[in-house]
Amino acid sequence: MKPFLLIATRAENKAADDEFDQILRFGNLSASDVHRVRLEQAPMPALDLDDYSGIIVGGSPFTGSEPEETKSATQIRVEAEIATLLDEVVDRDFPFLGACYGVGTLGRHQGAVIDFTYSEPVGGTTIHVTDAGRDDPLLADIPRQFSAFVGHKEAVRHLPDHAVLLATSAACPVQMFRIRTNLYGTQFHPELDADGIATRIRIYKNAGYFAPEEADTLIRAASQWDVTCANRIIANFTARYARSASPSSLRRVPGLE
């Protein structure tokens, strides 16, 4: 199978490695099925999209809506490199799933208005699938309402007209969208389960997402949410787009044929 490309930007090794492990687990992938690039460590290497089955962009501590003068040199470089990659990805309609940071990368690249209007506290929320989402293959066999973990400083306030809204929530109107046929962004975290968000809460408790003294309460509350339907989106993506050296061959994942 051609590997998936995972673009990561988390500087903390524990957070980066947990994200990698969760994408492997929920995507039914082995380590050899994923080529991970940590952009916070080094510039984007030369890439040939034909070498990959698809691209997954993980979450990020970067907030794209911040004024340019407040961003680090690393953030500015990462944003420029991902934008350049997206030029080709969008042009080719190459399989892309941006989880969390997908809103700030794919959304901004396509002209979405992203700001702090619909920021979300850390924890579980109920996601509502739209009529268009009901017919989308990444939401196949997922109920019209499901639970997922969120926690963001910025979100989409307005999607461009050519984007397809796939899922929403009471507090945040754009939870998942599609560009063209194969390009996806989610506001929620399909890669996180209760253990995963507990790790994130511990690592980022001083990053301004919540008061540090609330960490233990948030972890206990997160343990009550069943987010297995959200996790299934990763499996649906990898099952749909995994391919061998033969361009027409898709990898078959048990239970998702």
Side-chain angles (χ1 to χ4, degrees), residues 179-251:
I179 300 291
R180 302 190 68 178
T181 302
N182 301 311
L183 315 173
Y184 295 87
T186 70
Q187 179 75 37
F188 61 87
H189 289 277
E191 84 286 5
L192 281 184
D193 59 7
D195 289 340
I197 197 170
T199 296
R200 299 272 180 89
I201 289 170
R202 294 185 184 102
I203 292 172
Y204 295 112
K205 70 177 184 178
N206 295 306
Y209 292 96
F210 52 86
E213 62 271 16
E214 296 176 353
D216 290 341
T217 299
L218 291 172
I219 290 171
R220 286 194 296 271
S223 69
Q224 305 304 308
W225 289 82
D226 179 358
V227 296
T228 52
C229 287
N231 300 151
R232 202 180 304 161
I233 291 170
I234 302 288
N236 286 349
F237 181 80
T238 58
R240 179 171 175 79
Y241 294 113
R243 60 195 177 103
S244 69
S246 172
S248 63
S249 176
L250 292 178
R251 183 187 184 212

Side-chain angles (χ1 to χ4, degrees), residues 21-146:
D21 291 342
Q22 288 152 4
I23 287 172
L24 294 183
R25 178 156 52 97
F26 296 129
N28 298 307
L29 301 169
S30 67
S32 62
D33 292 331
V34 178
H35 172 205
R36 178 170 57 157
V37 173
R38 293 184 62 178
L39 287 186
E40 87 289 351
Q41 294 185 345
M44 183 90 75
L47 298 172
D48 183 344
L49 295 185
D50 290 332
D51 292 336
Y52 299 100
S53 288
I55 297 172
I56 299 172
V57 174
S60 178
F62 296 148
T63 302
S65 299
E66 293 177 343
E68 289 296 304
E69 61 270 16
T70 68
K71 296 179 181 179
S72 68
T74 298
Q75 180 174 350
I76 291 171
R77 171 181 60 77
V78 167
E79 290 177 350
E81 290 172 345
I82 293 179
T84 298
L85 177 63
L86 280 169
D87 289 342
E88 181 179 3
V89 166
V90 174
D91 182 64
R92 292 179 53 172
D93 197 13
F94 189 80
F96 177 95
L97 174 61
C100 168
Y101 198 38
V103 167
T105 52
L106 180 62
R108 184 169 286 105
H109 183 274
Q110 291 297 292
V113 177
I114 299 174
D115 57 24
F116 302 105
T117 302
Y118 297 110
S119 61
E120 299 174 280
V122 173
T125 194
T126 300
I127 305 296
H128 304 272
V129 178
T130 66
D131 289 342
R134 192 174 187 177
D135 297 327
D136 191 274
L138 257 62
L139 292 165
D141 301 321
I142 291 177
R144 292 298 296 265
Q145 294 186 21
F146 64 94

